[in-house]
Every structure is written in structure tokens, then in C-alpha cells.
Amino acid sequence: MNEERKIEIEEVDSVDAPPKARVAETFERKRDYLAGFLAQKPEPLAGGEPGGELYEAIIASLKEIYDPEIPVNIYDLGLIYGVEVTEDGHAAITMTLTTPHCPVAESMPAEVELRVASVPGVAFADVNLVWDPPWDPQKMSDEAKLELGML
């Protein structure tokens, strides 16, 4: 099955130049497809959505709570797993602690609930303390890692 293939070579003195492309004289630019997109105004965010005023106020209040053993706020520490805000002002915070044996295990969720409930626009707040997934240092923000000398 070993067929031998031969490549034929042809020598030439010159090759004709390909024809040049011609642009029609009456070329009319089409409307820019981005013009409509760029003219659109951004949709206003609901207050409870990430980036919304109420949501960001809740995050700011969480950043004022510090773990007593680690000089970093609980949000940057990665203890806050979720923040949900309904249109009627019900805030639900899902959080954990660094360990189940944390000395503030009883007081920290109550402080979070109190601080979040005091944000203007929040009707009431619930805090759900979870242990799964467990907290680990990789959940910390880069700012927290830098503060603690881990970067």
C-alpha cells in the first residue's frame, strides 16, 4: 500500500497580477449599528438589587461590623454569603462564622440583624446562620488578605 506520490513542479517566468478590487463610486455608509445601543439610557436598578441604593446601604452597614478577633469587617472577611432584599424592604442575610466555636456565635448574628434593620428602607431583617459551606480564608476579599498580610 505504499504508493509513491509524485509532485509535479512547473517553472514559470512570470504570473499575471490579480485584478484590483474596485469600490463603487456611490458607496453609502450604512447606519452605525451601535448608534441605537449607545443612545439607550440604563435601566434604573431596583433598590434591592446589587448596585441598587438599598442593597449598597445594607452592604455598607455590614462593612461597619468587625470580627473581634480579626481586625477586618465581616463582609470583607467573607462571612456574608448572601444578601437578598424584597421590594417591600425585607432583608435576608445568609452568613457564617469563622468556626462554630467562635466566641461571638451568639451575639454576631443578632448584631447583624440589628444593624441591617436600622438601614433606612429596610422594614425588617432576618439572619440565617449557616455552616455549609464552611468558611475558609479563601473567602476573604483581596483587601482583607492584604490587611492581614496574606498577599
Side-chain angles (χ1 to χ4, degrees):
M1 271 203 79
N2 270 342
E3 284 185 30
E4 195 173 310
R5 289 198 236 175
K6 293 186 178 184
I7 299 175
E8 292 185 28
I9 300 174
E10 179 182 347
E11 290 187 30
V12 295
D13 293 329
S14 68
V15 177
D16 293 337
K20 293 185 178 185
R22 294 195 299 186
V23 178
E25 298 292 324
T26 58
F27 177 73
E28 186 177 319
R29 183 182 165 140
K30 292 182 181 177
R31 200 180 91 150
D32 191 351
Y33 69 94
L34 285 177
F37 175 76
L38 295 174
Q40 288 180 350
K41 300 289 180 212
E43 300 253 344
L45 290 172
E49 292 181 45
E53 192 174 319
L54 182 57
Y55 182 92
E56 294 304 321
I58 291 171
I59 299 300
S61 72
L62 292 170
K63 287 185 175 186
E64 293 175 356
I65 304 170
Y66 283 79
D67 186 293
E69 297 174 321
I70 305 170
V72 175
N73 70 66
I74 64 171
Y75 189 82
D76 288 333
L77 200 54
L79 298 180
I80 304 299
Y81 285 174
V83 174
E84 295 178 24
V85 185
T86 63
E87 289 181 21
D88 60 349
H90 177 199
I93 311 299
T94 304
M95 68 173 292
T96 193
L97 298 171
T98 54
T99 174
H101 307 295
C102 182
V104 294
E106 290 184 26
S107 63
M108 182 70 73
E111 183 177 356
V112 169
E113 185 175 336
L114 186 68
R115 292 277 185 108
V116 171
S118 70
V119 172
V122 173
F124 55 98
D126 287 325
V127 175
N128 303 313
L129 189 60
V130 297
W131 302 109
D132 189 34
W135 178 86
D136 68 78
Q138 294 305 313
K139 295 189 182 335
M140 291 192 298
S141 69
D142 288 343
E143 292 82 11
K145 290 177 184 175
L146 185 63
E147 178 76 25
L148 297 174
M150 296 173 73
L151 276 183

